[in-house]
Amino acid sequence: MKLILLGPPGAGKGTQAEILSKRLGIDTISTGVMLRAAIREGTELGRMAEGYINDGKLVPDDVVVGIVKERLSQEDCEKGFILDGFPRTTAQAEALTASGVEIDKVLSLEVSDETIIERLSGRRECSKCGTPYHVVFKPSPNGDKCPCGGELIQRADDNEETVKNRIEVYHNQTEPIKEYYQAQGKLVVAYGKEELADTTLEVAKALGLED
Ligand code: ADP
Ligand code: ZN
């Protein structure tokens, strides 16, 4: 299955991607995770992307298209993959199509703007492996540490001002992608629920994975 996860920041895409990855035996490719890793490692890509991310703006299309294409060209992607956080503009979606990658389904995970703000304020992330957590909705089994031993930290772009920008960017730049894939008959929709397990069920239903 070659799958795209769409949805506003904080919709739970990363968490659902992780669950689907295990269930389907395919890797998740998250541009957000890749960019934050580059920032941690202090690479040229990281230094370039950091300002955009901390302002809640999008990193330029050619940059993200480049890193995604490179990742998708690796052999393990042939059996399938889950794209989380890419494409995020119509230009990125068009570049993906132009690169010859055939997407099977695009899942839009829908949540309200109010929910997003609530979610992002409690969101935490492992500083070592990048696994997402939430202080209320998805606490770490190891308390204030990740099972890998890493510290749980709040992302620099989860502050109120940046969150507002990210929501606006989502509505203006990313949401139009839904129409792009709707026109190709690939769009399916799931509504995010309060409980993680309920959202997981909605996602499975939308993808026709129930058993
Ligand atoms: P969220 O979905 O919670 O906003 P992500 O980790 O997907 O978090 O993205 C965080 C930030 O990384 C974005 O606000 C943006 O600055 C940058 N980014 C991630 N993916 C892309 C992309 N496909 N195109 C442009 N910028 C991106
Ligand atoms: Zn970890």
Side-chain angles (χ1 to χ4, degrees):
M1 169 110 75
K2 296 181 176 173
L3 182 66
I4 290 172
L5 286 187
L6 266 186
K13 294 187 303 288
T15 302
Q16 290 304 321
E18 195 191 328
I19 293 167
L20 285 169
S21 254
K22 284 187 190 134
R23 182 161 182 176
L24 300 171
I26 51 181
D27 262 8
T28 296
I29 300 167
S30 162
T31 42
V33 169
M34 289 194 281
L35 292 170
R36 283 189 293 281
I39 292 173
R40 277 202 300 275
E41 287 155 18
T43 66
E44 197 181 325
L45 169 67
R47 283 197 299 277
M48 186 267 162
E50 192 167 16
Y52 294 103
I53 293 181
N54 291 344
D55 286 346
K57 293 184 186 141
L58 294 183
V59 175
D61 286 336
D62 54 337
V63 175
V64 278
V65 166
I67 60 175
V68 170
K69 269 197 194 169
E70 189 186 314
R71 178 67 187 87
L72 289 179
S73 70
Q74 289 165 18
E75 213 182 290
D76 65 311
C77 289
E78 278 165 29
K79 61 176 177 171
F81 53 79
I82 300 167
L83 278 173
D84 165 18
F86 180 94
R88 232 181 177 93
T89 62
T90 305
Q92 291 177 17
E94 284 165 357
L96 184 64
T97 306
S99 76
V101 173
E102 265 289 328
I103 297 298
D104 298 305
K105 273 182 189 159
V106 178
L107 175 80
S108 175
L109 188 56
E110 311 263 337
V111 297
S112 68
D113 288 357
E114 299 83 81
T115 306
I116 295 169
I117 293 164
E118 179 188 81
R119 295 266 185 89
L120 293 183
S121 62
R123 182 154 83 169
R124 299 292 181 271
E125 184 182 85
C126 173
S127 60
K128 252 167 112 185
C129 71
T131 300
Y133 296 99
H134 191 284
V135 291
V136 179
F137 305 116
K138 194 197 170 212
S140 165
N142 288 37
D144 58 1
K145 287 236 163 108
C146 180
C148 85
E151 301 285 338
L152 302 191
I153 52 160
Q154 183 163 36
R155 273 169 47 177
D157 61 344
D158 277 349
N159 70 77
E160 209 181 313
E161 190 56 33
T162 306
V163 165
K164 271 193 218 144
N165 288 340
R166 286 159 64 202
I167 293 174
E168 210 178 285
V169 165
Y170 177 74
H171 289 308
N172 294 335
Q173 304 196 55
T174 306
E175 255 189 324
I177 295 181
K178 285 201 254 176
E179 283 156 46
Y180 178 84
Y181 287 112
Q182 171 96 63
Q184 299 180 13
K186 290 177 179 169
L187 189 74
V188 293
V189 176
Y191 292 91
K193 303 284 185 210
E194 187 94 5
E195 293 288 325
L196 171 62
D198 294 334
T199 304
T200 306
L201 213 64
E202 289 298 310
V203 166
K205 263 196 251 169
L207 293 173
L209 296 176
E210 312 142 277
D211 32 25

